[in-house]
């Protein structure tokens, strides 16, 4: 079963900051160091492309027989159901863990054995996603 992320205004604002701050820094450094405008433009276009891909490419959450696979931009994460320890609501999508949530109406999935100790997800069909996760991650504690 596959689910897709929903978007929230907090996520979009955060990504606009990620777009504006480096752009301003590049322009300032470029003018202070007499870098040609064409090189500055290329740098800005690369930043815009990277931020837009991250912002508008939907995150995909796929349930397989043994693991939850999260496709997030350029990243792919696999979480085994047996490794999931806790599932709880969260509105903090910017700080901590593997951030695969694009809305403040998110779910934090705590697990062991990965690079991070949790992942934040925001599926459009939240209730259906949780039902599916409860079926698969039977050892996990659900605080929702």
């Amino acid at each position: 079963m596959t689910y897709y992320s929903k978007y929230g205004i907090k996520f979009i604002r955060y990504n606009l900051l990620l777009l504006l701050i480096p752009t301003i820094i590049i322009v300032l450094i470029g003018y202070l160091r007499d870098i040609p405008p064409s090189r500055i433009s290329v740098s800005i276009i690369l930043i815009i492309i990277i931020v837009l891909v991250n912002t508008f490419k939907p995150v995909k959450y796929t349930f397989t027989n043994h693991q939850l696979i999260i496709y997030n931009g350029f990243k792919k994460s696999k979480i085994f159901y047996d490794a999931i320890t806790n599932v709880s609501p969260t509105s903090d999508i910017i700080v901590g863990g593997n951030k695969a949530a694009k809305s403040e109406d998110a779910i934090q999935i705590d697990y062991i054995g990965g690079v991070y100790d949790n992942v934040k997800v925001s599926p459009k069909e939240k209730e259906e996603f949780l039902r599916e996760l409860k079926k698969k991650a039977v050892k996990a504690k659900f605080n929702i």
Side-chain angles (χ1 to χ4, degrees):
M1 188 65 138
T2 298
Y3 297 89
Y4 292 91
S5 59
K6 65 179 169 183
Y7 293 88
I9 193 71
K10 187 176 184 180
F11 177 80
I12 293 170
R13 277 193 226 140
Y14 173 71
N15 277 286
L16 286 175
L17 283 175
L18 285 178
L19 178 70
L20 291 175
I21 292 171
T23 302
I24 291 169
I25 291 170
I26 287 172
V27 168
L28 288 175
I29 290 172
Y31 285 120
L32 293 174
R33 295 192 176 189
D34 294 326
I35 297 173
S38 61
R39 290 184 71 197
I40 295 171
S41 298
V42 169
S43 300
I44 292 171
I45 289 170
L46 287 174
I47 290 171
I48 290 170
I49 290 169
I50 290 168
V51 170
L52 288 179
V53 165
N54 181 51
T55 303
F56 295 107
K57 183 176 183 192
V59 178
K60 185 166 89 170
Y61 315 108
T62 302
F63 287 95
T64 66
N65 289 336
H66 303 289
Q67 59 194 353
L68 172 62
I69 303 174
I70 301 169
Y71 302 91
N72 184 12
F74 306 110
K75 229 176 12 176
K76 177 180 170 182
S77 303
K78 296 179 180 181
I79 303 169
F80 286 94
Y81 301 127
D82 290 342
I84 297 173
T85 58
N86 190 43
V87 179
S88 57
T90 186
S91 61
D92 186 6
I93 61 169
I94 296 174
V95 178
N98 183 353
K99 294 166 278 302
K102 295 189 176 194
S103 170
E104 302 81 46
D105 182 25
I107 303 165
Q108 179 170 313
I109 301 172
D110 298 319
Y111 60 96
I112 53 174
V115 174
Y116 302 101
D117 59 353
N118 67 59
V119 64
K120 296 173 182 180
V121 299
S122 58
K124 283 182 191 175
E125 301 88 10
K126 186 176 179 179
E127 297 305 319
E128 291 175 32
F129 179 91
L130 284 169
R131 274 194 294 276
E132 186 74 20
L133 187 59
K134 283 179 183 178
K135 285 184 212 172
K136 306 275 188 179
V138 292
K139 296 179 182 177
K141 179 181 174 188
F142 284 81
N143 299 317
I144 293 184

